[in-house]
């Protein structure tokens, strides 16, 4: 063992301790390694920084953007809604559909992002189906982790291992090379979760309390006389006129909350500003601010069709507009003035539908009632205006947001574009028409060109901590190779187990990778273990692919502790789990994954002599 190897192993030991402690952050530790490695003389400064220009790092960054586009356009929520309808409230079907949906979506976007999206969806499902949350959250996290075994781009460790293959002069994995391993493991995971779901909750666990919804909020302010939904008919006197010219608040005691208009991609939302001109077939969402308004008479006299207003309609249109309750706090600039005098519609961008003082809703036009400190208001308007108000205004305090606020997506009408771009990127990667990183970058450019993502939202979508961690650890793997550390680990494994037992070598490699990922990021584990796997294959004179695939599969088997993956941390609190819950549930299935992987690897990726 050379002095250079001792230095590199010493740095590795320090990094592992810091990773395990979680202080400082993992990306900060990776930057420390980048800064210190050149002092060892093993790698140069350009080599220490080379990870930041690696194609796999660029690919991962682009995929974060594409994945976020599915969130911004509501595609992820659409999948969740369809899952709920298909399950029909039955717990067995809920678990199966939840795991299939989470794994399928995570196969093409960040698993952490998918779980973050699904947590509120699962909470809502649990309330509606009267199922304990703990029975659903861990199946969600397990499915999201297994998604890393489905496609090349499902998780960063896959791309790290693939990059290691390419650097050694081998052809990389295909887009669906992981699928034959991941699908049977996913099926087994669903069956396993159905079998052990009774272990996921304790006696005191119960279905979560029902959250406030907009129909509940509206009901407390007497919605029958406060909301109306009408459609502009052919020949209506309102068609072609601007809202400013109509002056509906003064003439009829109503205000237009939202306008639903048919567009090229289905229903679109038009914000009701003074210059907005109404068109035939527009659907008007009206807030009644006056007294004695007769919706049927108003519709008949103006060529409008009165549409039914059901409870589920209050979550429409397009999930972009909603209702919220706010309170006038002490010292508010609105106290002592009416909403009309304070120009609250112009100042807030929201319509005041009703005012409640104590337990009673004030009679008369809501806009004419002088407000007092402690009054609560029923406001209506776009979520993009409502949500930023929380904590930003001292003269109005938003109370508990209704559940529908979590379903707001800013670019719903561009969902077909996001799906088309995703399918195009996947097709390009699967066929190899262009390199993977180039295909993903072209997809990002298309999202920007069609207005799905802008520059600011694109940068926000990228997990910079993940990118810095990967880029910072790559030169460390190079240093281990140059100093003989990788060969040392590979030779030790060959001497301990022997070259005549390749399945045992695969099992040992799987166990080592899984164990290491308990203490550090699975991405960092893949960076360190991929060169070892390739060195073992070279020492055997065998194909590198089963050994590289073994590392990738093991890196996605982070079931045993809540700190093994951010995915597990996201479900820890909502599911009401303890640390040992992951140990009890995750350890047996880790063994199952090990057995399945070691059995399938030599069959699907033969261990024959590499060309």
């Amino acid at each position: 063992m050379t002095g250079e190897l001792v230095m590199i192993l010493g740095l590795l030991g320090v990094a592992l301790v810091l990773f395990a402690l979680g202080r400082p952050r993992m990306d900060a530790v990776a930057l420390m390694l980048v800064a210190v490695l050149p002092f060892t003389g093993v790698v140069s400064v350009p080599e220490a920084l080379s990870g930041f220009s690696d194609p796999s790092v660029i690919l991962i960054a682009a995929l974060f953007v594409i994945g976020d586009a599915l969130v911004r356009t509501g595609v992820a929520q659409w999948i969740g809604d369809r899952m709920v309808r298909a399950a029909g409230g039955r717990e067995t079907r809920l678990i199966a559909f939840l795991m299939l949906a989470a794994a399928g979506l995570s196969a093409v976007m960040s698993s952490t992002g998918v779980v973050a999206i699904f947590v509120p969806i699962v909470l809502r499902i649990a309330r509606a189906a009267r199922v304990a949350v703990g029975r659903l959250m861990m199946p969600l996290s397990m499915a999201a982790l297994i998604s890393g075994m489905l496609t090349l781009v499902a998780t960063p460790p896959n791309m790290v291992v693939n990059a290691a293959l390419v650097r050694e002069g081998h052809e990389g994995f295909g887009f669906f090379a992981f699928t034959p391993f991941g699908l049977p493991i996913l099926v087994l995971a669903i069956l396993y979760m159905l079998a052990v779901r009774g272990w996921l909750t304790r006696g005191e666990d119960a279905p979560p309390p029902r959250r406030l919804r907009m129909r509940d909020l509206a009901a407390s302010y007497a919605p029958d006389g406060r909301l109306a939904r009408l459609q502009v008919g052919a020949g209506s006197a309102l068609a072609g006129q601007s809202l400013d010219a109509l002056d509906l608040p003064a003439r009829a005691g109503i205000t237009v909350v939202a306008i639903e208009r048919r567009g090229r991609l289905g229903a679109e939302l038009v914000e009701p500003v003074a210059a907005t001109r109404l068109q035939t077939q527009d659907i008007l969402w009206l807030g009644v601010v006056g007294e004695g308004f007769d919706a049927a008479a108003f519709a008949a006299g103006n060529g409008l069709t009165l549409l039914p207003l059901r409870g589920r309609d209050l979550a429409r249109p397009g999930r972009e507009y909603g209702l919220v309750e706010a309170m006038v706090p002490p010292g508010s600039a609105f106290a002592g003035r009416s909403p009309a005098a304070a120009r609250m519609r112009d100042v807030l961008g929201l319509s005041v539908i009703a005012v409640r003082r104590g337990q009673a809703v004030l009679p008369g036009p809501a806009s004419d009632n002088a407000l007092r400190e402690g009054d609560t208001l029923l406001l209506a308007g776009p979520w993009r205006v409502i949500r930023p108000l929380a904590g930003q205004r001292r003269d109005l305090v938003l109370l508990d947001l209704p559940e529908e606020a979590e379903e707001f997506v800013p670019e719903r009408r561009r969902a077909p574009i996001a799906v088309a771009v995703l399918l195009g990127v996947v097709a390009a990667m699967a066929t190899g028409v262009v390199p993977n990183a180039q295909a993903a970058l072209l997809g990002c450019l298309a999202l920007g060109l069609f207005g799905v993502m802008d520059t600011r939202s694109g940068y926000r979508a990228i997990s910079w901590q993940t990118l810095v961690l990967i880029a910072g650890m790559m030169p460390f793997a190079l240093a281990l190779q140059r100093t003989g550390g990788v060969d040392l680990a590979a030779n030790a494994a060959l001497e301990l187990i022997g070259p005549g037992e390749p399945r045992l070598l695969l099992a040992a490699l799987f166990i080592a990778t899984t164990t290491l990922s308990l203490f550090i990021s699975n991405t960092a584990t893949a960076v360190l273990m991929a060169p070892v796997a390739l060195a073992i294959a070279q020492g055997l004179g065998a194909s590198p692919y089963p050994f590289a695939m073994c590392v990738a599969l093991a890196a996605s088997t982070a079931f045993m502790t809540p700190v093994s993956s951010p995915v597990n941390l996201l479900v820890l609190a909502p599911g009401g789990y303890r640390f040992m819950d992951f140990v009890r549930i995750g350890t047996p299935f880790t063994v199952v994954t090990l057995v399945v992987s070691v059995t399938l690897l030599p069959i699907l990726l033969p261990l024959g002599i590499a060309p």
Side-chain angles (χ1 to χ4, degrees):
M1 184 178 295
T2 65
E4 289 179 336
L5 178 56
V6 171
M7 285 192 295
I8 296 300
L9 291 178
L11 286 176
L12 175 60
V14 172
L16 292 179
V17 171
L18 294 177
F19 282 147
L21 293 175
R23 296 182 181 180
R25 288 186 351 178
M26 288 187 290
D27 53 335
V29 175
L31 287 176
M32 290 164 56
L33 291 176
V34 170
V36 172
L37 273 175
F39 288 111
T40 65
V42 177
V43 296
S44 64
V45 172
E47 288 172 333
L49 298 171
S50 62
F52 291 95
S53 62
D54 190 277
S56 61
V57 175
I58 305 301
L59 172 60
I60 293 169
L63 289 173
F64 276 122
V65 177
I66 295 173
D68 192 62
L70 299 180
V71 178
R72 289 175 58 83
T73 55
V75 174
Q77 290 179 340
W78 180 86
I79 293 173
D81 290 344
R82 294 301 180 275
M83 175 192 68
V84 175
R85 293 180 185 178
R90 295 172 55 186
E91 182 180 322
T92 300
R93 298 179 69 180
L94 275 175
I95 292 175
F97 282 124
L98 174 63
M99 295 184 72
L100 288 172
L105 195 56
S106 298
V108 292
M109 63 180 288
S110 163
S111 57
T112 304
V114 169
V115 172
I117 295 166
F118 269 82
V119 163
I121 293 175
V122 170
L123 289 172
R124 189 169 69 248
I125 292 171
R127 293 186 191 97
R130 307 302 296 168
V131 175
V133 179
R135 290 178 179 261
L136 301 177
M137 284 296 178
M138 196 174 293
L140 169 64
S141 65
M142 182 173 283
L145 290 169
I146 294 172
S147 71
M149 308 176 192
L150 294 177
T151 65
L152 173 64
V153 300
T155 185
N158 292 357
M159 290 175 272
V160 167
V161 171
N162 188 69
L165 279 170
V166 173
R167 281 196 301 272
E168 292 295 321
H170 304 290
E171 186 177 347
F173 286 120
F175 188 85
F176 294 107
F178 297 79
T179 310
F181 302 95
L183 279 180
I185 292 173
L186 177 60
V187 172
L188 289 173
I190 294 173
L191 296 176
Y192 176 73
M193 278 299 175
L194 291 176
V196 303
R197 65 184 187 271
W199 300 357
L200 294 174
T201 56
R202 292 173 290 279
E204 68 272 15
D205 288 322
R210 187 170 173 271
R211 275 191 59 188
L212 177 73
R213 294 185 65 82
M214 283 200 296
R215 59 173 172 263
D216 305 320
L217 184 59
S220 67
Y221 284 85
D224 293 338
R226 299 290 178 178
L227 296 171
R229 185 168 174 251
L230 298 94
Q231 187 169 31
V232 180
S236 170
L238 274 60
Q241 297 197 51
S242 68
L243 294 180
D244 186 33
L246 289 171
D247 195 14
L248 294 175
R251 286 177 48 196
I254 56 175
T255 182
V256 180
V257 176
I259 301 173
E260 189 176 353
R261 180 173 293 171
R262 188 178 303 277
R264 290 178 299 173
L265 300 175
E268 298 179 353
L269 274 295
V270 177
E271 187 171 354
V273 296
T276 302
R277 292 188 178 275
L278 301 182
Q279 298 179 8
T280 302
Q281 301 302 316
D282 280 354
I283 296 177
L284 309 181
W285 289 72
L286 304 179
V288 180
V289 296
E291 189 174 14
F293 174 74
D294 187 335
F298 180 78
N302 291 277
L304 305 175
T305 302
L306 182 63
L307 301 178
L309 185 63
R310 300 172 297 270
R312 62 178 179 271
D313 290 324
L314 296 174
R316 298 178 62 196
R319 290 178 176 169
E320 296 186 40
Y321 283 72
L323 302 174
V324 69
E325 188 176 26
M327 182 184 70
V328 180
S332 170
F334 296 137
R337 305 166 67 192
S338 68
R343 298 175 57 92
M344 292 183 70
R345 174 63 185 265
D346 297 329
V347 173
L348 299 176
L350 302 172
S351 301
V352 180
I353 305 300
V355 179
R356 186 167 59 198
R357 184 165 297 153
Q359 299 300 317
V361 177
L362 299 183
S367 58
D368 293 341
N369 287 305
L371 302 178
R372 297 179 185 174
E373 296 175 353
D375 285 352
T376 57
L377 315 177
L378 180 64
L379 304 174
W383 290 120
R384 62 176 180 79
V385 175
I386 292 173
R387 293 182 69 91
L389 288 178
Q392 292 187 9
R393 297 193 66 92
R394 296 182 179 179
D395 45 17
L396 199 65
V397 176
L398 288 190
L399 303 181
D400 188 24
L401 285 173
E403 188 174 323
E404 290 86 352
E406 298 172 352
E407 301 174 358
F408 166 61
V409 289
E411 298 293 344
R412 181 174 299 276
R413 61 196 178 103
R414 293 187 170 90
I417 298 173
V419 172
V421 169
L422 173 64
L423 293 177
V425 170
V426 170
M429 290 181 178
T431 58
V433 176
V434 294
N436 291 342
Q438 186 179 9
L441 287 175
L442 289 172
C444 293
L445 291 175
L447 292 174
L449 179 65
F450 290 105
V452 179
M453 300 285 288
D454 55 26
T455 305
R456 179 175 297 178
S457 59
Y459 278 115
R460 282 200 305 263
I462 297 172
S463 174
W464 295 102
Q465 182 176 355
T466 300
L467 294 186
V468 171
L469 174 62
I470 296 171
M473 291 299 294
M474 281 182 172
F476 200 89
L478 175 63
L480 283 173
Q481 286 180 303
R482 285 187 177 174
T483 56
V486 171
D487 292 333
L488 182 66
N491 291 334
L494 288 171
E495 290 178 7
L496 182 64
I497 298 174
E501 300 291 342
R503 287 184 185 272
L504 287 180
L505 282 170
L506 287 170
L509 186 62
F510 189 101
I511 293 171
T513 303
T514 303
T515 303
L516 191 58
S517 66
L518 294 178
F519 305 100
I520 66 173
S521 157
N522 60 352
T523 302
T525 299
V527 171
L528 296 175
M529 294 302 298
V532 176
L534 297 181
I536 291 175
Q538 186 177 9
L540 286 174
S543 167
Y545 295 106
F547 293 89
M549 180 65 74
C550 183
V551 169
L553 295 176
S556 291
T557 313
F559 311 129
M560 290 188 286
T561 72
V563 297
S564 301
S565 168
V567 167
N568 292 344
L569 285 174
L570 283 174
V571 303
L572 180 64
Y577 301 126
R578 302 184 180 119
F579 187 95
M580 288 306 298
D581 290 329
F582 285 88
V583 176
R584 288 187 302 110
I585 302 298
T587 302
F589 195 73
T590 299
V591 176
V592 171
T593 306
L594 166 64
V595 172
V596 172
S597 300
V598 172
T599 301
L600 292 179
L601 279 168
I603 298 173
L604 300 177
L605 296 174
L607 292 164
I609 303 299

